[in-house]
Amino acid sequence: MIKPLALACILCTALQPAFAQKVGEVDTAFKLLGPDHKIVIDAYDDPKVKGVACYVARAKTGGIKGAIGLAEDKADASIACRQVGPISFSEPIKQQEELFTERQSILFKRLRVVRMVDPARNVLIYLSYSDKLIEGSPKNSVTVVPIDRGTAIPLK
């Protein structure tokens, strides 16, 4: 029998279709106690579009609260997605789909990356933004990956 906590961990993992690979980080502010404030860069491969990788730069709060996971990271994030190999689609994709979400505070705040398709221009659009349960942030970043006109984007 699966215990409730184990089931919750399995479900949380299943809801994150893309996984981050840490590329690097830089310190932005010294903290006497705990880790420094940082900008972290993570890479994400699009799980349904082979040959596309996205790089997300985001703030990571340090100090004591950051060290124990109680700090709220800033809503600022930047995204750049590029073709890194031959593009192919493992299956038809949705017009709009969330690829990744990551907690930015102990409660209610998340960084999200969404893929959208613009079939008229044959491009993939990637949007990063932060949301909160009560009041989201309008801060966002967008990037576009053009797909060769000879390759149709298969939509669901």
Side-chain angles (χ1 to χ4, degrees):
M1 179 173 185
I2 298 178
K3 295 184 178 187
L5 183 57
L7 180 61
C9 289
I10 291 168
L11 290 174
C12 286
T13 302
L15 293 175
Q16 286 190 350
F19 298 96
Q21 177 185 1
K22 186 174 175 183
V23 174
E25 63 184 36
V26 294
D27 289 352
T28 59
F30 173 76
K31 300 303 285 181
L32 187 59
L33 298 174
D36 294 343
H37 294 321
K38 301 177 184 314
I39 296 173
V40 177
I41 299 177
D42 294 322
Y44 303 90
D45 292 320
D46 188 321
K48 294 185 181 171
V49 183
K50 186 175 180 184
V52 173
C54 294
Y55 298 88
V56 176
R58 61 184 174 77
K60 184 161 179 72
T61 304
I64 295 173
K65 285 184 176 181
I68 60 174
L70 295 177
E72 182 171 313
D73 292 335
K74 295 188 185 279
D76 298 330
S78 175
I79 188 169
C81 298
R82 299 293 184 265
Q83 179 177 351
V84 294
I87 291 184
S88 62
F89 297 88
S90 58
E91 61 188 71
I93 59 176
K94 295 179 180 178
Q95 177 74 34
Q96 181 172 320
E97 181 175 11
E98 184 170 276
L99 297 181
F100 179 77
T101 182
E102 180 177 291
R103 180 178 69 84
Q104 288 190 303
S105 71
I106 191 81
L107 294 172
F108 311 126
K109 186 175 180 183
R110 302 190 76 72
L111 170 68
R112 299 183 183 278
V113 174
V114 174
R115 179 196 340 99
M116 298 175 197
V117 178
D118 179 355
R121 293 165 190 82
N122 215 46
V123 297
L124 301 173
I125 304 161
Y126 294 86
L127 170 71
S128 68
Y129 68 99
S130 180
D131 70 357
K132 260 185 166 176
L133 182 63
I134 305 300
E135 180 181 327
S137 171
K139 294 180 181 181
N140 63 79
S141 181
V142 68
T143 186
V144 175
V145 177
I147 306 300
D148 183 86
R149 287 282 181 190
T151 304
I153 300 171
L155 291 173
K156 282 187 179 178

